Amino acid sequence: AMSRFVWSLVNVVAVFALFISCWRLIGGSSLAKLPKSWSAVFLITLLLSARWVVSPLQHLQYDAVIAGVLAIGCLAVARGRDLLGGAVIGLAASMKVTPMLFLPYLV
């Protein structure tokens, strides 16, 4: 029971890391200062993407962890920290081969 709790906690942290990294990558403003029309867009987007966030959690997959690590790596590259970003994207690639799609960009 404790291992399932820890795994769920790791996944929740990864989802938050994914969300925050993606929001910063697109240049998102403070969520507290979003106009009402953009708040509606934000909420609709969250609702539409919820299935892809919840499904790996239900099936105890680690896709959310990979996506979170990958987004952190992309944010590091976008901020000019290429070595760190490449290492973090490499970490994601070591978990699953899908992040290797970034290899041509990194080379």
Side-chain angles (χ1 to χ4, degrees):
M2 182 59 122
S3 61
R4 187 170 280 214
F5 172 76
V6 171
W7 180 244
S8 297
L9 185 63
V10 166
N11 277 277
V12 167
V13 169
V15 168
F16 276 106
L18 173 65
F19 170 76
I20 291 167
S21 297
C22 288
W23 187 251
R24 289 181 179 160
L25 276 167
I26 64 168
S29 64
S30 170
L31 293 176
K33 297 179 182 179
L34 278 180
K36 287 186 181 188
S37 59
W38 279 106
S39 295
V41 170
F42 178 76
L43 182 61
I44 291 169
T45 303
L46 281 180
L47 291 174
L48 290 173
S49 64
R51 175 179 180 242
W52 287 275
V53 172
V54 172
S55 180
L57 301 178
Q58 288 176 327
H59 299 287
L60 301 174
Q61 296 172 331
Y62 56 98
D63 293 345
V65 175
I66 294 170
V69 170
L70 187 59
I72 290 169
C74 291
L75 183 61
V77 170
R79 291 185 170 172
R81 300 184 69 188
D82 296 338
L83 189 58
L84 175 65
V88 173
I89 291 171
L91 175 65
S94 72
M95 290 185 237
K96 197 172 191 177
V97 78
T98 307
M100 289 297 288
L101 295 171
F102 282 91
L103 185 62
Y105 173 76
L106 293 173
V107 171

